Amino acid sequence: MCGAKWALAFIKYIVVPLITLAITPYVWNIVGLSWNKVGSDLEPTMQSSSVFLAAAAWAPLRVNSLYTSRPPTPTTTNDPNSMAAAGPKWAQKTITLPPQRRGCHLITPKIVKEIGQDLSEFKCGLAHLFLQHTSASLTINENYDSDVREDTETFLNRIVPEGRSAPWKHTMEGPDDMPAHIKSSMFGCTLTVPITNGQLNMGTWQGIWLCEHRDQATPRKVVVTLNGI
């Protein structure tokens, strides 16, 4: 009797649970399929989720990574004319322009002369010009007819009042100083010009202007930074 009891207990508490665990996924799979055949909108989804969870508990987990820790393979080329064959480079120079009378002045030849040697080493890039002053400005405009520069100066003087009747509070440096600050902000102190095959790639009729807004001008400094390949 004792042997029979031990055998029954072994079957009840060991064998039966193991068999239940083994056949549970298959039972859920059958039940899920039967619900799908009935056509219910809600229950099949729940059963399908249960089947998925049961299967996931028994199947090994596999993860496909979307990213890799390995760095991308660098692109190389043996073509000396290819832009990818050369790395980026920089050059910078500060150009001092002599004092100019009040008005707009074409300074393209002076700029190109000063940076010509460095400029010739760039096939493609950008030239950035920065004027280190608050009473003058830089702009790009007509490079042929000098009347355009004179007309621009006339325009600036008409829209920015000057003299005792002007409403400005900042007058300690002369009546032309505050108007010069305003004009400087109107045109700005920076320019960016593309570089192509060792030259500034401007339009046929474009030129770089220095606009001097003071009556008694001083030398003006322009920092030119070249970047490219």
Side-chain angles (χ1 to χ4, degrees):
M1 291 296 292
C2 290
K5 288 182 179 181
W6 281 108
L8 290 174
F10 178 78
I11 294 173
K12 181 178 180 179
Y13 295 108
I14 302 298
V15 177
V16 173
L18 289 176
I19 295 175
T20 302
L21 290 174
I23 67 174
T24 296
Y26 301 100
V27 173
W28 279 116
N29 189 31
I30 295 172
V31 173
L33 291 175
S34 65
W35 274 108
N36 285 331
K37 290 180 180 179
V38 172
S40 171
D41 292 334
L42 177 60
E43 293 299 333
T45 303
M46 297 175 63
Q47 290 292 349
S48 299
S49 299
S50 299
V51 172
F52 172 78
L53 292 175
W58 289 86
L61 183 62
R62 295 181 180 180
V63 178
N64 293 325
S65 176
L66 298 179
Y67 304 97
T68 177
S69 60
R70 293 177 300 177
T73 303
T75 302
T76 58
T77 177
N78 295 323
D79 183 4
N81 295 321
S82 172
M83 292 185 181
K89 53 188 175 182
W90 295 80
Q92 188 176 84
K93 185 174 185 178
T94 299
I95 302 171
T96 300
L97 301 172
Q100 305 284 342
R101 63 178 177 81
R102 179 167 166 171
C104 301
H105 306 274
L106 184 66
I107 61 171
T108 310
K110 173 68 172 177
I111 297 296
V112 172
K113 179 181 178 180
E114 293 290 335
I115 66 172
Q117 184 174 352
D118 290 327
L119 187 63
S120 63
E121 298 179 3
F122 289 85
K123 184 174 182 180
C124 177
L126 293 173
H128 180 268
L129 287 76
F130 180 82
L131 178 67
Q132 295 182 317
H133 304 276
T134 62
S135 57
S137 59
L138 295 175
T139 190
I140 292 179
N141 213 309
E142 168 75 60
N143 67 359
Y144 179 72
D145 189 353
S146 60
D147 288 345
V148 178
R149 298 193 291 276
E150 294 180 6
D151 289 342
T152 301
E153 174 65 13
T154 299
F155 168 77
L156 291 174
N157 292 333
R158 288 189 177 183
I159 64 172
V160 182
E162 184 177 329
R164 294 183 177 181
S165 61
W168 318 128
K169 296 180 179 180
H170 177 73
T171 58
M172 65 178 62
E173 297 179 64
D176 64 322
D177 184 56
M178 189 60 218
H181 292 318
I182 296 174
K183 296 171 185 178
S184 175
S185 291
M186 290 175 62
F187 280 170
C189 62
T190 64
L191 295 175
T192 302
V193 181
I195 302 172
T196 304
N197 295 326
Q199 296 182 342
L200 297 180
N201 194 353
M202 294 190 293
T204 302
W205 307 111
Q206 287 183 320
I208 301 172
W209 289 10
L210 169 69
C211 300
E212 177 57 64
H213 306 306
R214 295 301 306 270
D215 290 332
Q216 302 297 326
T218 58
R220 301 298 192 178
K221 292 183 178 181
V222 179
V223 181
V224 182
T225 304
L226 307 179
N227 172 234
I229 56 177

